[in-house]
PDB file of all heavy atoms in Angstrom:
ATOM      1  N   LEU A 438      -1.157 -27.044 -23.301  1.00 94.00           N
ATOM      2  CA  LEU A 438      -1.909 -26.524 -22.166  1.00 94.00           C
ATOM      3  C   LEU A 438      -1.234 -26.769 -20.824  1.00 94.00           C
ATOM      4  O   LEU A 438      -1.620 -26.183 -19.816  1.00 94.00           O
ATOM      5  CB  LEU A 438      -3.321 -27.130 -22.156  1.00 94.00           C
ATOM      6  CG  LEU A 438      -4.175 -26.842 -23.399  1.00 94.00           C
ATOM      7  CD1 LEU A 438      -5.565 -27.429 -23.231  1.00 94.00           C
ATOM      8  CD2 LEU A 438      -4.251 -25.342 -23.682  1.00 94.00           C
ATOM      9  N   SER A 439      -0.237 -27.665 -20.802  1.00 95.00           N
ATOM     10  CA  SER A 439       0.521 -27.919 -19.571  1.00 95.00           C
ATOM     11  C   SER A 439       2.008 -27.776 -19.882  1.00 95.00           C
ATOM     12  O   SER A 439       2.533 -28.500 -20.723  1.00 95.00           O
ATOM     13  CB  SER A 439       0.211 -29.321 -19.034  1.00 95.00           C
ATOM     14  OG  SER A 439       0.922 -29.566 -17.831  1.00 95.00           O
ATOM     15  N   GLN A 440       2.658 -26.829 -19.215  1.00 95.00           N
ATOM     16  CA  GLN A 440       4.048 -26.515 -19.543  1.00 95.00           C
ATOM     17  C   GLN A 440       4.888 -26.366 -18.281  1.00 95.00           C
ATOM     18  O   GLN A 440       4.380 -25.983 -17.214  1.00 95.00           O
ATOM     19  CB  GLN A 440       4.124 -25.202 -20.337  1.00 95.00           C
ATOM     20  CG  GLN A 440       3.286 -25.166 -21.592  1.00 95.00           C
ATOM     21  CD  GLN A 440       3.302 -23.787 -22.246  1.00 95.00           C
ATOM     22  OE1 GLN A 440       4.163 -22.955 -21.936  1.00 95.00           O
ATOM     23  NE2 GLN A 440       2.356 -23.525 -23.134  1.00 95.00           N
ATOM     24  N   THR A 441       6.170 -26.653 -18.410  1.00 97.00           N
ATOM     25  CA  THR A 441       7.128 -26.378 -17.337  1.00 97.00           C
ATOM     26  C   THR A 441       7.568 -24.919 -17.436  1.00 97.00           C
ATOM     27  O   THR A 441       7.894 -24.434 -18.517  1.00 97.00           O
ATOM     28  CB  THR A 441       8.360 -27.288 -17.447  1.00 97.00           C
ATOM     29  OG1 THR A 441       7.950 -28.654 -17.318  1.00 97.00           O
ATOM     30  CG2 THR A 441       9.374 -26.967 -16.359  1.00 97.00           C
ATOM     31  N   VAL A 442       7.560 -24.221 -16.309  1.00 97.00           N
ATOM     32  CA  VAL A 442       7.961 -22.809 -16.284  1.00 97.00           C
ATOM     33  C   VAL A 442       9.030 -22.619 -15.207  1.00 97.00           C
ATOM     34  O   VAL A 442       9.031 -23.288 -14.175  1.00 97.00           O
ATOM     35  CB  VAL A 442       6.761 -21.884 -16.008  1.00 97.00           C
ATOM     36  CG1 VAL A 442       5.799 -21.888 -17.172  1.00 97.00           C
ATOM     37  CG2 VAL A 442       6.038 -22.267 -14.722  1.00 97.00           C
ATOM     38  N   SER A 443       9.923 -21.700 -15.467  1.00 97.00           N
ATOM     39  CA  SER A 443      10.948 -21.362 -14.483  1.00 97.00           C
ATOM     40  C   SER A 443      11.204 -19.863 -14.518  1.00 97.00           C
ATOM     41  O   SER A 443      10.971 -19.200 -15.536  1.00 97.00           O
ATOM     42  CB  SER A 443      12.254 -22.124 -14.756  1.00 97.00           C
ATOM     43  OG  SER A 443      12.771 -21.800 -16.026  1.00 97.00           O
ATOM     44  N   SER A 444      11.670 -19.337 -13.410  1.00 98.00           N
ATOM     45  CA  SER A 444      11.947 -17.904 -13.319  1.00 98.00           C
ATOM     46  C   SER A 444      13.185 -17.687 -12.467  1.00 98.00           C
ATOM     47  O   SER A 444      13.484 -18.463 -11.548  1.00 98.00           O
ATOM     48  CB  SER A 444      10.757 -17.150 -12.727  1.00 98.00           C
ATOM     49  OG  SER A 444      10.469 -17.613 -11.420  1.00 98.00           O
ATOM     50  N   PHE A 445      13.887 -16.608 -12.787  1.00 98.00           N
ATOM     51  CA  PHE A 445      15.103 -16.262 -12.059  1.00 98.00           C
ATOM     52  C   PHE A 445      15.109 -14.760 -11.817  1.00 98.00           C
ATOM     53  O   PHE A 445      14.805 -13.977 -12.719  1.00 98.00           O
ATOM     54  CB  PHE A 445      16.348 -16.667 -12.848  1.00 98.00           C
ATOM     55  CG  PHE A 445      17.644 -16.194 -12.221  1.00 98.00           C
ATOM     56  CD1 PHE A 445      18.113 -16.766 -11.061  1.00 98.00           C
ATOM     57  CD2 PHE A 445      18.368 -15.165 -12.797  1.00 98.00           C
ATOM     58  CE1 PHE A 445      19.285 -16.329 -10.471  1.00 98.00           C
ATOM     59  CE2 PHE A 445      19.544 -14.713 -12.228  1.00 98.00           C
ATOM     60  CZ  PHE A 445      20.012 -15.302 -11.055  1.00 98.00           C
ATOM     61  N   PHE A 446      15.450 -14.382 -10.597  1.00 98.00           N
ATOM     62  CA  PHE A 446      15.498 -12.962 -10.229  1.00 98.00           C
ATOM     63  C   PHE A 446      16.757 -12.700  -9.424  1.00 98.00           C
ATOM     64  O   PHE A 446      17.134 -13.493  -8.547  1.00 98.00           O
ATOM     65  CB  PHE A 446      14.269 -12.588  -9.401  1.00 98.00           C
ATOM     66  CG  PHE A 446      14.416 -11.300  -8.634  1.00 98.00           C
ATOM     67  CD1 PHE A 446      14.360 -10.068  -9.281  1.00 98.00           C
ATOM     68  CD2 PHE A 446      14.623 -11.312  -7.257  1.00 98.00           C
ATOM     69  CE1 PHE A 446      14.489  -8.893  -8.577  1.00 98.00           C
ATOM     70  CE2 PHE A 446      14.758 -10.131  -6.545  1.00 98.00           C
ATOM     71  CZ  PHE A 446      14.692  -8.922  -7.215  1.00 98.00           C
TER      72      PHE A 446
END
Side-chain angles (χ1 to χ4, degrees):
L438 300 183
S439 181
Q440 305 174 16
T441 298
V442 292
S443 61
S444 61
F445 173 71
F446 162 74

